[in-house]
């Protein structure tokens, strides 16, 4: 077999091996945990999780585990704040905790919210502000092992972030 035929077969084999990877990446979707309107939102949510866990580990605390049921509640709250259904607040916190505890056994919960506009790294700004606020810092450093993070963007471009914390039983 000549070099030309070998090159053709090698290129064809490489294309066949890469095609499934391309298909998987191009068709991949969000993790299925509630709808996400902005394609950059999952990256912001993941960055908040990473930054919070880095902070906790730096203090000798255990990292928080993301749970879908908590993320759904956090995303819904952020979306409701972003679209004006509820004010920027903790309104409905008890209902969110009840929805979570109906699906997983928890013994406690807390919540941090933030609204960020005009910054290229809303996750970093939110986490830095939470760390500088005594109440928010107490939540993110609290005796929790589970978390869910939801981010939504308003029509004017501002981000609304909700991080919920829970202690499993």
């Amino acid at each position: 077999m000549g070099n030309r035929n070998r090159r053709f077969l090698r290129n064809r084999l490489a294309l066949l091996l890469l095609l499934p990877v391309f298909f998987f990446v191009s068709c991949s979707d969000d993790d299925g945990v509630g709808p996400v309107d902005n394609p950059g939102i999952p990256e912001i949510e993941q960055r908040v999780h990473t930054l919070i866990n880095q902070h906790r580990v730096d203090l000798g605390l255990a990292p928080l585990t993301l749970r879908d049921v908590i993320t759904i509640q956090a995303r819904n709250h952020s979306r409701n704040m972003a679209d004006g259904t509820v004010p920027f607040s903790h309104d409905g916190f008890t209902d969110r905790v009840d929805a979570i505890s109906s699906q997983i056994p928890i013994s406690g919960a807390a919540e941090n919210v933030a609204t960020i506009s005009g910054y290229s790294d809303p996750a970093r700004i939110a986490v830095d502000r939470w760390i500088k606020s005594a109440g928010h810092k107490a939540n993110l450093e609290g005796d929790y092992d589970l978390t869910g993070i939801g981010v939504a963007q308003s029509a004017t471009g501002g981000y609304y972030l909700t991080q919920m914390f829970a202690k499993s039983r």
Side-chain angles (χ1 to χ4, degrees), residues 4-5 34-35 43 67-69 82 94 109 112 115 136 148 157 165 167:
R4 186 173 178 197
N5 286 341
E43 288 79 13
R67 289 295 303 264
D68 291 351
V69 65
T94 303
N112 287 348
T115 181
H136 294 101
F165 307 87
K167 175 70 174 170

Side-chain angles (χ1 to χ4, degrees):
M1 183 182 294
N3 282 342
R4 186 173 178 197
N5 286 341
R6 272 191 230 134
R7 220 177 10 244
F8 173 78
L9 288 174
R10 188 175 52 236
N11 288 343
R12 184 135 175 133
L13 180 60
L15 179 62
L16 289 173
L17 291 174
L18 289 175
L19 190 57
V21 171
F22 174 76
F23 180 75
F24 178 73
V25 170
S26 66
C27 293
S28 68
D29 201 341
D30 182 48
D31 59 6
V33 181
V36 175
D37 301 322
N38 179 328
I41 296 294
E43 288 79 13
I44 297 170
E45 292 171 347
Q46 184 56 53
R47 182 148 167 75
V48 169
H49 185 237
T50 299
L51 291 169
I52 293 294
N53 275 346
Q54 284 174 348
H55 177 78
R56 287 178 61 89
V57 168
D58 288 349
L59 296 175
L61 302 170
L64 301 169
T65 301
L66 278 170
R67 289 295 303 264
D68 291 351
V69 65
I70 304 171
T71 295
I72 288 168
Q73 293 302 314
R75 282 185 180 163
N76 288 342
H77 186 54
S78 290
R79 191 170 298 108
N80 288 338
M81 290 188 296
D83 69 17
T85 303
V86 299
F88 174 68
S89 67
H90 295 285
D91 286 2
F93 173 71
T94 303
D95 294 334
R96 287 188 290 285
V97 172
D98 288 346
I100 292 165
S101 64
S102 73
Q103 296 182 53
I104 59 173
I106 60 171
S107 61
E111 176 178 83
N112 287 348
V113 296
T115 181
I116 309 293
S117 294
Y119 293 93
S120 61
D121 189 353
R124 169 55 77 187
I125 299 301
V127 170
D128 286 350
R129 288 179 182 174
W130 288 336
I131 290 170
K132 291 176 185 171
S133 163
H136 294 101
K137 185 176 187 208
N139 289 342
L140 65 91
E141 294 176 1
D143 184 25
Y144 301 108
D145 57 343
L146 306 175
T147 193
I149 302 157
V151 177
Q153 193 169 23
S154 71
T156 59
Y159 290 96
Y160 289 80
L161 297 86
T162 303
Q163 180 168 21
M164 296 189 72
F165 307 87
K167 175 70 174 170
S168 58
R169 272 195 272 167

